[in-house]
Amino acid sequence: MLGFENEQAAMTEANRCIQCPGAPCIKACPIENDIPSALWELEQGHFAEAASVFRLTSTMPEVCGRICPQER
């Protein structure tokens, strides 16, 4: 299965982001996605806005999520 079972599950998972100072996740991302901002939008239920944040650094964010080296 790809993705989450439903919107609430995605929002709950996004809530795990603790908005670290210095955002080490951005520095670790090969294309420097603004991960904390996107997760904050997702946590609020703003799905289109979260996608827009990722589209600022990638024209195909859905691909990045599937090939992210962090997942290994």
Side-chain angles (χ1 to χ4, degrees):
M1 179 173 134
L2 297 174
F4 294 98
E5 295 176 20
N6 55 49
E7 292 177 351
Q8 186 59 48
M11 293 167 62
T12 299
E13 184 68 18
N15 187 43
R16 293 179 55 224
C17 177
I18 60 172
Q19 303 290 327
C20 300
C25 57
I26 294 174
K27 293 175 186 171
C29 179
I31 60 171
E32 298 182 350
N33 272 326
D34 186 357
I35 298 162
S37 292
L39 291 179
W40 186 86
E41 293 287 359
L42 184 57
E43 180 183 347
Q44 306 307 308
H46 304 155
F47 301 100
E49 291 84 348
S52 293
V53 171
F54 285 133
R55 286 191 184 101
L56 294 173
T57 51
S58 174
T59 56
M60 299 183 349
E62 61 280 355
V63 172
C64 291
R66 293 192 179 161
I67 64 170
C68 179
Q70 184 63 30
E71 293 297 318
R72 291 189 184 94

